[in-house]
Amino acid sequence: STDDGQQYVVQGQEMDPGIISEGIADNEPRTGELTTTNLDEVIKFLGFEPDLPTWMPEGWKLTNYEVSVVTDETIIKATYVKADDIIVIQKKYTDLDNAYASFEQNAEGHVITIGNTEVYYSENINRVRYNWKKENDVFSLSGNLASKDANQIILSSLQN
């Protein structure tokens, strides 16, 4: 370390320990938020590639990714727009009980099968919502979109 004990020399370069977040330095789970249009930044921030759809209907454009990491969950939200918005959300939980508790269902919806996955479908005014689970992850797709487009979006995210 330097004479004042505030910096460490690493491979001939000085590094200020203050740039290392306390969460990383203490081996605690990382927390924080990120908003970007760059998927590579999302992957670098998370340390893994999220299960986002690989297909979107023609004309839909990505507005942004919003990522939030807290102790027991990671929320990845991708927003696409055309005339109306469509939102894809992936929530990754460290606790399976929390994943099941967050899985939105009510008496107004239906369970359908897309691929080999049970998907909970509900409709409110002109917006539809699809929810499904994969291990400790809960996914949500919502917006004003046709069911054939929703099925294709969901299938493309299940292939990851």
Side-chain angles (χ1 to χ4, degrees):
S1 74
T2 57
D3 293 338
D4 62 4
Q6 296 298 308
Q7 295 179 337
Y8 296 93
V9 177
V10 180
Q11 297 178 352
Q13 297 179 356
E14 291 187 3
M15 183 174 72
D16 180 358
I19 65 171
I20 301 173
S21 75
E22 290 181 24
I24 294 171
D26 295 337
N27 284 334
E28 291 295 321
R30 184 162 73 168
T31 61
E33 295 180 340
L34 171 71
T35 300
T36 183
T37 57
N38 186 319
L39 181 58
D40 290 334
E41 289 179 14
V42 172
I43 294 168
K44 184 176 178 182
F45 180 79
L46 292 170
F48 65 88
E49 187 169 352
D51 292 327
L52 295 171
T54 57
W55 181 89
M56 281 303 209
E58 188 174 325
W60 290 93
K61 302 289 184 214
L62 176 74
T63 302
N64 64 16
Y65 300 105
E66 295 176 38
V67 181
S68 175
V69 179
V70 293
T71 304
D72 62 347
E73 71 180 16
T74 299
I75 301 170
I76 302 132
K77 177 180 174 182
T79 304
Y80 298 83
V81 296
K82 189 175 175 181
D84 199 358
D85 70 333
I86 181 175
I87 299 171
V88 180
I89 299 174
Q90 175 183 0
K91 292 184 180 181
K92 182 174 284 295
Y93 291 90
T94 56
D95 182 333
L96 192 56
D97 290 336
N98 289 343
Y100 283 115
S102 80
F103 191 67
E104 296 181 35
Q105 297 184 43
N106 63 38
E108 304 297 320
H110 311 281
V111 176
I112 59 175
T113 301
I114 298 177
N116 293 326
T117 302
E118 285 189 350
V119 178
Y120 180 75
Y121 163 82
S122 61
E123 191 169 343
N124 187 1
I125 306 177
N126 289 330
R127 293 182 64 86
V128 293
R129 177 177 297 272
Y130 296 83
N131 293 306
W132 65 100
K133 298 179 296 222
K134 180 179 172 185
E135 298 169 358
N136 281 16
D137 295 355
V138 175
F139 296 84
S140 177
L141 169 64
S142 66
N144 183 1
L145 67 160
S147 63
K148 69 178 182 68
D149 289 339
N151 287 359
Q152 190 65 30
I153 292 167
I154 293 168
L155 281 171
S156 76
S157 72
L158 291 171
Q159 296 170 358
N160 296 334

